[in-house]
């Protein structure tokens, strides 16, 4: 599981239990007999290893070394992977493209499925919600990417790209009253709203896989990877060059 939608580059090795294992785990949790495992109690996955590096301009340099390091720590080779899950944003163009291109290349080379999931949905699962909340990441250009979630981690609004000063009006128009802000850009709006920041407590790699658990367990074929840029790219196709020659004289007006 990989994500490059923020300055923090994440790669993790995650084991998704089979359906009957998940049922047994839920039963053990209900009667309080579940022993501590590699993931937090209540988690639907086992995070075997996760590696992160925070560098806003180092996604391409760090991602595959992090993948290799996570696999080595988990005691697996790259050929052992059964699927790849990748965060599809929202995020700045360059960093997001690195993660998605790498995921697609791994899927093609290993002939395994690649599932894309919204990065904010995964971050929301790490937030430990006890009420409505926001997930915010830095969109640069003095703007943020924002999504609103309920305590059950159902998305209420977003993702949108918006200036921090405009967030209160957006929330008022939608009737939203978040209790806290989470995500890598939480500090950009927390003061504007007067609500606390809550750092994510879970492992992002595991949350990414949890978001894709249904298609992974059912063997559903993933759709095409579609990045959530939320903005038009800065680079555009050039238009036809303008002529610098004087206009041609009409026929029959020769001197």
């Amino acid at each position: 599981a990989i994500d490059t939608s923020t300055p923090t580059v994440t790669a993790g090795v995650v084991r998704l239990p089979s359906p009957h294992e998940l049922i047994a785990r839920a039963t053990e949790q209900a009667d309080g007999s579940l022993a501590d495992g590699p993931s937090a109690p209540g988690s639907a996955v086992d995070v075997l290893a996760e590696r992160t590096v925070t560098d806003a301009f180092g996604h391409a340099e760090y991602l595959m070394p992090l993948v290799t390091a996570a696999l080595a720590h988990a005691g697996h080779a790259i050929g052992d992977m059964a699927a790849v899950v990748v965060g599809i944003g929202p995020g700045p163009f360059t960093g997001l493209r690195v993660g998605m291109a790498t995921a697609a290349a791994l899927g093609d080379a290993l002939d395994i499925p690649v599932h894309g999931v919204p990065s904010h949905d995964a971050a929301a699962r790490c937030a430990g919600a006890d009420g409505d909340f926001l997930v915010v990441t830095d969109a640069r250009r003095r703007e943020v990417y924002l999504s609103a979630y309920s305590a059950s981690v159902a998305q209420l609004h977003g993702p949108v790209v918006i200036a921090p000063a405009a967030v209160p009006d957006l929330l008022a128009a939608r009737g939203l009253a978040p209790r806290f802000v989470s995500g890598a850009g939480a500090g950009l709006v927390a003061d504007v709203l007067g609500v606390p920041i809550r750092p994510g407590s879970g492992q992002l790699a595991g949350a990414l896989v949890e978001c894709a658990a249904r298609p992974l367990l059912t063997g559903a074929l993933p759709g095409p990877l579609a990045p959530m840029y939320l903005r038009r790219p800065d680079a555009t196709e050039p238009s036809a060059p303008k002529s610098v020659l004087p206009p041609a004289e009409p026929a029959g007006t020769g001197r």
Side-chain angles (χ1 to χ4, degrees):
I2 59 178
D3 186 87
T4 56
S5 64
T6 72
T8 298
V9 187
T10 299
V13 181
V14 182
R15 177 181 177 271
L16 180 64
S18 64
H20 73 271
E21 288 177 306
L22 290 173
I23 293 172
R25 181 175 296 187
T27 302
E28 291 171 340
Q29 288 172 348
D31 62 22
S33 61
L34 181 64
D36 291 338
S39 294
S43 175
V45 301
D46 297 327
V47 180
L48 306 182
E50 183 179 86
R51 294 290 182 269
T52 64
V53 169
T54 300
D55 185 336
F57 304 102
H59 297 84
E61 291 79 6
Y62 286 113
L63 181 55
M64 277 310 298
L66 291 176
V67 169
T68 302
L71 284 165
H73 183 82
H76 285 284
I78 197 166
D80 295 337
M81 292 192 296
V84 179
V85 178
V86 59
I88 61 172
F93 181 85
T94 302
L96 195 57
R97 184 177 181 132
V98 168
M100 297 186 66
T102 300
L106 288 170
D108 185 60
L110 301 172
D111 193 24
I112 56 178
V114 180
H115 295 268
V117 300
S119 302
H120 279 194
D121 287 0
R125 287 177 175 265
C126 298
D130 53 8
D132 293 355
F133 65 101
L134 303 177
V135 171
V136 177
T137 50
D138 190 355
R140 302 176 185 170
R141 304 182 194 172
R142 300 181 182 180
E143 292 181 319
V144 296
Y145 299 115
L146 179 146
S147 298
Y149 294 87
S150 68
S152 62
V153 200
Q155 191 177 76
L156 302 175
H157 184 66
V160 295
V161 59
I162 187 172
V167 172
D169 289 342
L170 171 68
L171 298 179
R174 295 283 175 175
L176 299 173
R179 297 184 61 179
F180 65 91
V181 184
S182 191
L188 299 173
V189 301
D191 289 342
V192 175
L193 298 177
V195 297
I197 297 172
R198 181 177 297 179
S201 58
Q203 291 173 291
L204 185 63
L208 287 163
V209 174
E210 285 183 350
C211 288
R214 185 182 297 274
L216 286 168
L217 289 172
T218 60
L221 292 177
L225 290 177
M228 300 173 69
Y229 294 131
L230 303 189
R231 282 196 188 116
R232 290 183 176 275
D234 291 334
T236 58
E237 292 187 11
S239 58
K242 295 181 179 179
S243 174
V244 295
L245 299 176
E249 295 182 357
T253 61
R255 297 173 182 173

